[in-house]
Amino acid sequence: MRRLLIVFCIVLVHVAVSGGETGTKKDDHIYRSGHDGVTAPLPLRTPHTEPPKLSPSESRKKGKERTEVLWLSGYVGKDGKFHAARVMQSTNHEFEKYALKMVEEWEFSPCKRKGVPVNCTMALEITFHPH
């Protein structure tokens, strides 16, 4: 059994459109948390299942005690779901599909701007620790 540690980080990267927003419709803007009065999303439900087991050759290469880390980026929508997830960095490609599938089930309180839910960028660090 492996333990899973999840660290939530807000992405502070600049987006292409001035003011930290993207999209074509006003309702579809993606804001940056902490800018222009936008509050950060908070995790509400982060279920996970057992991560994949390394193949025997990978286990020998990686060693049984190796910690695996993935960085995902995307945005938390007004619906509280993590959208457009993509792997930015990974220590083991065997965990990438699992992590992408896992975050589809997560729920967050949406970011808010002036008390109204908005979309906002977010990065997630997911760490798999062997037991």
Side-chain angles (χ1 to χ4, degrees):
M1 181 99 168
R2 292 177 181 252
R3 288 184 308 149
L4 175 68
L5 173 68
I6 303 161
V7 179
F8 298 94
C9 303
I10 304 304
V11 176
L12 297 177
V13 294
H14 295 282
V15 291
V17 178
S18 149
E21 306 169 14
T22 62
T24 55
K25 298 179 190 172
K26 189 165 183 85
D27 289 338
D28 292 336
H29 290 308
I30 300 174
Y31 294 87
R32 288 188 296 158
S33 179
H35 293 268
D36 200 22
V38 177
T39 62
L42 297 172
L44 298 176
R45 194 173 80 84
T46 56
H48 63 276
T49 57
E50 186 68 22
K53 298 198 184 296
L54 292 174
S55 65
S57 62
E58 279 293 309
S59 294
R60 282 191 293 277
K61 279 194 280 186
K62 301 285 185 186
K64 290 186 178 187
E65 297 303 313
R66 182 178 170 109
T67 297
E68 306 295 345
V69 180
L70 290 94
W71 275 92
L72 304 177
S73 70
Y75 72 94
V76 173
K78 294 179 276 186
D79 61 358
K81 297 287 187 180
F82 194 73
H83 298 276
R86 63 185 182 145
V87 176
M88 300 302 294
Q89 185 177 358
S90 172
T91 57
N92 186 330
H93 297 295
E94 288 190 37
F95 289 90
E96 292 177 14
K97 283 185 182 179
Y98 165 75
L100 290 169
K101 182 77 172 156
M102 185 176 68
V103 298
E104 287 177 0
E105 299 175 23
W106 291 2
E107 293 178 29
F108 298 85
S109 66
C111 298
K112 290 188 179 178
R113 182 174 180 249
K114 298 180 182 177
V116 177
V118 295
N119 302 318
C120 68
T121 58
M122 185 174 187
L124 298 172
E125 177 185 294
I126 300 175
T127 305
F128 299 99
H129 293 285
H131 65 280

